[in-house]
Amino acid sequence: MSQPTVRSDGARPRPRAALRRTVRSGLLAAALLLGAAAGGCAGTSGVPGALGASESVPQDTAFWVEPDSSAALQAAEWRRQGHTSEALLMDRIGGRAQAVWLHDEGPGPRVRAVTAAAAGAGRVPVLVAYYIPHRDCGDHSRGGAASAAEYRLWIEEFAAAIGDRAAYVIVEPDAVAREVAGCEMTDAGERYALLAHAVDRLKARPNTKVYLDAGNADWIPDEERLVTPLRQSGIDKADGFALNVSNYQTDTVSSAYGHRLAARIGGAKHFVVDSSRNGNGPYTGDGSTWCNPPGRALGTPPTSRTGDTALDAYLWIKRPGESDGTCRGGPEAGEWWPEYALGLASRAKS
């Protein structure tokens, strides 16, 4: 498998049914308060490439925190059971903004619900469009639209549901890099045209920022190979590209790669970095480096105040605590795994 990640996010897993039944009636209010109090936890982070004295510091974007995420509900359940220390650690995930993945038919109702809730809270949601035909090249997260025509209609519904509300949208994780790395079941020209259509329709919404996924620094090390495919996929109309989705490359490595890729694309393109699980960098031990690797940690909390004028935000695009698959004792891909989530949180530096 050329891409070291499993798209477990696409399943948008929820906690076990029993857990949801237990907490929804009595603890949802607590989770809502937690999300409101956290305010997205969009702190600042000192990174290389800080703004010069003559440049203004942009206002930090307040990203939307889903009040009933798996992590928020888990923290609430542990509080009810008296496991206070574990709940406090889980707050590091549940109290922070995570992307909402759209991966099934009929995205409109979910997109409208999320963007309306975020707007009502005065915040900005992060959405992921993940429905391209031959998704994941038939691998772990196989699926997507049955045809190009179906995908175009799906994107139209997605974009219409956003309306004039604010949103960040990550367009089709893996789609470009998968094609560059090799995917025999797809037609490259058709795939790039569909991505360009997605960028065009989403960017037509007045308050939507659009980032086309570009893989990660370890997957396609020679960034020049991505330039033409990204251009064919609509990068010129997008706000920029997304890096490190569901991966573990450090902020420093991803930022350097992003600057190189942006320079090759031209046009002063910006980028965002998924920092959800990269706090300890990539796994270098034996066995799989991408599937539930041990010893990993949460990375930089979501923020648009990066200290780098080309890096628009650190985002938690991968939802921390959702399994990559049944390796290393994990549940099925996409299922909530509280023990793994707790490990990520316990090793976090912030």
Side-chain angles (χ1 to χ4, degrees):
M1 185 176 179
S2 57
Q3 160 64 324
T5 183
V6 172
R7 308 253 49 98
S8 58
D9 329 64
R12 196 174 182 275
R14 316 303 295 167
R16 294 182 302 275
L19 173 60
R20 288 186 66 81
R21 287 193 296 270
T22 301
V23 299
R24 272 202 178 278
S25 59
L27 298 175
L28 182 55
L32 284 163
L33 290 173
L34 171 64
C41 291
T44 59
S45 58
V47 297
L51 295 168
S54 62
E55 297 178 274
S56 61
V57 177
Q59 183 177 357
D60 203 5
T61 298
F63 293 113
W64 182 67
V65 179
E66 185 179 9
D68 61 344
S69 69
S70 298
L73 293 174
Q74 186 72 70
E77 172 69 358
W78 279 342
R79 280 192 173 84
R80 188 187 68 81
Q81 296 173 345
H83 303 313
T84 305
S85 60
E86 289 87 348
L88 287 171
L89 286 171
M90 195 58 62
D91 287 345
R92 293 182 173 182
I93 300 176
R96 288 169 171 161
Q98 304 170 53
V100 174
W101 289 64
L102 289 305
H103 55 87
D104 287 325
E105 304 179 347
R110 178 67 176 155
V111 171
R112 279 190 293 273
V114 169
T115 54
R123 300 187 179 278
V124 180
V126 180
L127 307 174
V128 180
Y130 191 53
Y131 200 60
I132 196 82
H134 303 296
R135 187 175 64 201
D136 203 27
C137 200
D139 212 325
H140 293 272
S141 290
R142 65 180 63 84
S147 67
E150 180 185 339
Y151 184 72
R152 289 175 183 275
L153 291 173
W154 189 87
I155 283 293
E156 294 288 349
E157 181 179 345
F158 192 121
I162 294 175
D164 61 359
R165 294 180 289 273
Y168 277 46
V169 181
I170 310 303
V171 176
E172 298 297 341
D174 295 356
V176 171
R178 267 285 193 189
E179 196 65 47
V180 171
C183 180
E184 294 181 359
M185 65 174 56
T186 59
D187 177 274
E190 178 181 81
R191 168 162 286 199
Y192 298 152
L194 290 177
L195 291 169
H197 175 75
V199 170
D200 178 72
R201 301 316 301 147
L202 291 164
K203 194 58 195 165
R205 309 319 304 169
N207 297 305
T208 299
K209 299 195 75 171
V210 178
Y211 297 90
L212 182 61
D213 188 73
N216 63 72
D218 188 56
W219 193 1
I220 310 290
D222 179 8
E223 64 276 0
E224 179 64 33
R225 296 176 62 199
L226 290 166
V227 173
T228 296
L230 286 172
R231 285 178 177 154
Q232 293 174 344
S233 300
I235 191 66
D236 289 342
K237 289 188 176 181
D239 291 279
F241 52 89
L243 294 174
N244 201 49
V245 174
S246 293
N247 210 266
Y248 304 88
Q249 303 303 311
T250 65
D251 292 346
T252 300
V253 167
S254 294
S255 177
Y257 185 81
H259 280 284
R260 294 197 303 272
L261 180 55
R264 290 186 180 276
I265 293 170
K269 282 299 171 188
H270 288 206
F271 57 96
V272 295
V273 170
D274 184 352
S275 58
S276 58
R277 304 186 299 178
N278 71 349
N280 283 343
Y283 179 63
T284 58
D286 295 334
S288 172
T289 61
W290 59 265
C291 190
N292 301 324
R296 301 310 91 199
L298 300 174
T300 303
T303 180
S304 63
R305 190 170 291 169
T306 67
D308 183 331
T309 54
L311 175 52
D312 285 351
Y314 292 111
L315 302 173
W316 284 8
I317 302 171
K318 165 69 181 182
R319 297 169 68 87
E322 295 180 1
S323 177
D324 291 323
T326 55
C327 57
R328 296 191 170 98
E332 293 292 331
E335 290 189 10
W336 173 243
W337 189 4
E339 294 81 8
Y340 195 81
L342 191 63
L344 291 171
S346 68
R347 301 182 199 101
K349 299 176 178 64
S350 59

